[in-house]
Amino acid sequence: MKATRISLTNFRSYAQAEAAFADGINVICGPNAQGKTNLLEAVYMLAGARSFRTRFDREMIAFDADAAAIEAEIWAEGREQKLSIALRRGVKKQIKLNGVRRTGTELCESIRAVLFSPDDLGLIKDGAAARRRLMDMAITQLRPGYAKALSDFNRLYENKSRILRDHLGDRAMMSALGDFSDGLCRASARLIRYRASFAAALGELASPIHREFSGSGEELEVRYKTVSTVTDPSAPAEVIYSQLLEHLAAHEAAELASGQCLTGAHKDDLEIFINGRSARSFASQGQTRTAALSLKLAEREIFLRDTGEYPILLLDDVLSELDGARREFVLNRIGGGQTLITCCEDEQIVRQTGGKVFFVEKGSVREGN
């Protein structure tokens, strides 16, 4: 799968721009704050119509405009297809594939993308939310049912949290608490099964990549961590649901006292170990970068294994932060699919990739020589 051409209208810093991408590596150069990441964001939108930078579509519309549009020609499912995403303030976005309306979930069945940005270098040392985001972004594209389960979970979690926070003296709110708690356990059980499967695949594929990448045979291990009463996160959903109810019963009083939701998948995590030690606590800066890169390269391999095609790989200004050996390793691993790389006019990166070059400046895109 690949994006062969993209056209932007009033998208972020682009009043009007167009780019025709090569099948392999595409290098997007330019000074900071000129729109390179905006271009990658538009390409990422083709895979599920979701941004990796914001939850709100309105933030992708240019300040002086009421609407924005992304139009693209893509190669997916063995044929050329046309895709459009229309954004308008106060109106739900409109997605069309070959002129037929689609949902974001349906779009994921046609085209997928894996992103690696500077924020992802914090995957190892940051809090659990960063690693849950990794799982959510990947699984949403791979498993259509996951997006619905995650949406249900978020809605139930927000409602239950509001009741726990504001319930004092409100009998109507308290009467609804049981239903929201039960629904949250059921939605959590679905998420846990999806996440456990993804975590197992991520660990399996990241371990050999990291062993080679580190240059010293370091062993990377990924463990999925969820609610303590869940003994087997890959068990049937009903089994996990029952175990979540056990946890809920034990923490019901504590939830009311603290005003916080204590049972559910909202504190799930991926625990990363290097040579048996917690990477978050003990990894050096070099080990941290190597582990984060290994996880993202493994994510790309999961997409290949599950779909039979490489996803579009988006590398947002990360190669310039790597030393020569790590940069060389990444470049040697990204063949076989389409890749878009942004950099700040680093001639060495351009020479090393040998890809098609684009220059971005002040909201315009032009092809290089």
Side-chain angles (χ1 to χ4, degrees), residues 314-336:
L314 307 174
L315 301 178
D316 187 18
D317 199 25
V318 292
L319 291 185
S320 58
E321 298 194 23
L322 303 178
D323 59 36
R326 288 187 176 89
R327 183 187 298 175
E328 192 70 31
F329 181 87
V330 172
L331 292 176
N332 288 336
R333 294 284 311 200
I334 61 176

Side-chain angles (χ1 to χ4, degrees), residues 58-75:
R58 64 177 180 271
E59 293 184 1
M60 292 179 281
I61 302 173
F63 290 124
D64 57 350
D66 294 323
I70 304 170
E71 297 182 349
E73 296 173 9
I74 64 173
W75 178 267

Side-chain angles (χ1 to χ4, degrees), residues 144-160:
Y146 186 80
K148 175 65 164 58
L150 185 61
S151 176
D152 290 345
F153 174 87
N154 288 335
R155 174 179 53 81
L156 290 161
Y157 177 77
E158 288 173 7
N159 279 284
K160 180 177 177 179

